Amino acid sequence: MAGCATTTTTARYSEDNSRAYNLAQAGGLHKARDTALGDDEYSSAMTNITNAFSDAALFNSSAGLGLSGGASLGLGLAGALFAAPGHMEQDSAFAFVPTSEAASREEANELLRDSFYQAVQQAAEELGYTIEHEGNDLRHPAAHGRTAMSIAVVDEENGCYGYERIKSGDDAKAYGCYVSLQIPERGERTIAAPEASNVQGQVYSYPATDHQKSMRFFFLPNEDATMAKLPLAVKISEHMPEWFFLYLSPEDDQPPMILEKGEPELFIKRA
């Protein structure tokens, strides 16, 4: 039997804001704000992001989206898009596991783990990488009572090595490249699915309210690796269930975004 339902109010969908904003509000990233753009700027931004994500070079390069110089977006626009408040300065994840797919929080946790493992496996295969794990990699304690799954993504051409070379914790830092999902301990209570989530009925919620109590997504390459986070994150997102979302914080060549089934949602709206 699923956990007790609650009548906690969930975020209403705002047609005046971006889908990224609506997803962020539903997922606990309450400091998210949209940048309002004129029609020309909005069209330019969406065209450039669409082209970047449809370009096969994204999945064969460590250059990310290549928007850091501002030339693709316009200098003022680039500055606005690359800002992120508060705890939105770090990557995170949020999810709404339907009670139709999990009868308890423990089952929801297991579904998240199984789905993430399969998504990483498929993502690595499509990008020409392999994955490795050993010991307690797939279930080990993490900070603030979370349980983590850590998977080594191996591609020696990108400087990411497997366990033939990694024999210690220091080796892992020097030679490894890992993706990790940390799942927090949460109670049995369920909530009504937020409108933005595309899920119906009651769900086990995993909000991204802060970095101590929330689910976390990490990409942890060694300092000499050239493997890019964005293509891997896009592919992982693509293969996760529709109720799972990745938030990627801004970087030199990438604005903040939410990945929904591999599609980028930006924090921009028409003025």
Side-chain angles (χ1 to χ4, degrees), residues 73-131:
L73 295 174
L75 293 176
L77 174 56
L81 290 187
F82 282 65
H87 73 281
M88 293 185 69
E89 294 174 354
Q90 299 183 49
D91 296 343
S92 59
F94 55 95
F96 309 96
V97 181
T99 55
S100 60
E101 298 183 32
S104 67
R105 178 69 71 171
E106 182 177 357
E107 286 190 13
N109 290 345
E110 289 303 315
L111 182 57
L112 276 166
R113 291 188 188 95
D114 290 346
S115 298
F116 188 74
Y117 179 84
Q118 293 171 18
V120 173
Q121 189 174 45
Q122 289 176 283
E125 181 178 343
E126 291 178 12
L127 293 170
Y129 308 149
T130 58
I131 63 170

Side-chain angles (χ1 to χ4, degrees), residues 232-253:
L232 189 59
V234 167
K235 285 295 184 181
I236 291 171
S237 167
E238 181 180 319
H239 293 294
M240 285 296 288
E242 63 180 356
W243 38 257
F244 179 91
F245 304 90
L246 284 179
Y247 168 74
L248 300 184
S249 58
E251 297 185 353
D252 290 342
D253 56 1

Side-chain angles (χ1 to χ4, degrees), residues 17-25 29 31-37 42 46 77 80-85 88 94 246-250 255-259 264-270:
N17 289 95
S18 69
R19 176 147 182 79
Y21 172 87
N22 279 284
L23 286 170
Q25 296 304 308
L29 294 167
K31 292 185 177 180
R33 296 294 182 268
D34 278 336
T35 298
L37 305 177
Y42 182 89
M46 295 307 296
L77 174 56
L81 290 187
F82 282 65
M88 293 185 69
F94 55 95
L246 284 179
Y247 168 74
L248 300 184
S249 58
M257 67 182 70
I258 290 177
L259 293 177
E265 300 290 347
L266 300 185
F267 294 91
I268 59 175
K269 63 180 181 180
R270 294 184 186 274

Side-chain angles (χ1 to χ4, degrees), residues 58-64 120 123-125 127-132 151-162 175-179 217-233 236 251 253-254:
L58 172 64
F59 299 102
N60 294 282
S61 170
S62 61
V120 173
E125 181 178 343
L127 293 170
Y129 308 149
T130 58
I131 63 170
E132 293 184 11
I151 302 169
V153 183
V154 181
D155 184 63
E156 294 189 5
E157 290 185 3
N158 277 300
C160 298
Y161 297 89
Y175 305 118
C177 298
Y178 294 86
V179 288
F217 167 78
F218 294 94
F219 174 59
L220 303 169
N222 68 73
E223 63 179 15
D224 295 321
T226 56
M227 183 180 290
K229 174 177 68 177
L230 184 58
L232 189 59
I236 291 171
E251 297 185 353
D253 56 1
Q254 169 198 301

